Amino acid sequence: MTTFNWGFVGAGMIAGKHVLCEKPLGMNAAQVQEAIAVSEAAGVLFVEASWNRWHPRTQRIQEVVQSVRHPGGVDETTRVNYTLGNATE
């Protein structure tokens, strides 16, 4: 979040609006911590625009992982790595 964005972001949260913020969330850790504090005080969400989390491929991977029982009795997946992009082969 640039200094330019902070005015809009802060005003929106203070007005009770949830904020979806493009990267970067802040220019430094102090700025992000301040934004989080404002959002918590206002009772609104302050979220980085992480589009990948809601990408259809990500959703499908979550469905597959949740539907598979792992051999050896391990029922919890702790990490999945994948790359979004076009196959080069």
Side-chain angles (χ1 to χ4, degrees):
M1 168 175 50
T2 65
T3 302
F4 175 76
N5 287 346
W6 173 239
F8 295 109
V9 169
M13 290 190 295
I14 290 167
K17 305 295 181 186
H18 300 293
V19 173
L20 177 68
C21 188
E22 286 292 336
K23 293 178 189 175
L25 280 180
M27 300 309 289
N28 55 51
Q31 197 176 52
V32 174
Q33 290 168 343
E34 180 182 357
I36 291 169
V38 171
S39 72
E40 289 174 346
V44 298
L45 296 175
F46 174 59
V47 183
E48 189 272 322
S50 180
W51 62 269
N52 189 40
R53 180 179 172 93
W54 295 278
H55 192 282
R57 285 181 271 195
T58 304
Q59 296 296 311
R60 179 65 182 133
I61 289 169
Q62 288 175 337
E63 290 170 9
V64 170
V65 167
Q66 290 171 359
S67 71
V68 174
R69 256 186 143 10
H70 300 284
V74 177
D75 294 329
E76 181 180 342
T77 300
T78 58
R79 183 175 179 165
V80 174
N81 294 323
Y82 73 99
T83 301
L84 289 176
N86 297 319
T88 57
E89 298 175 10

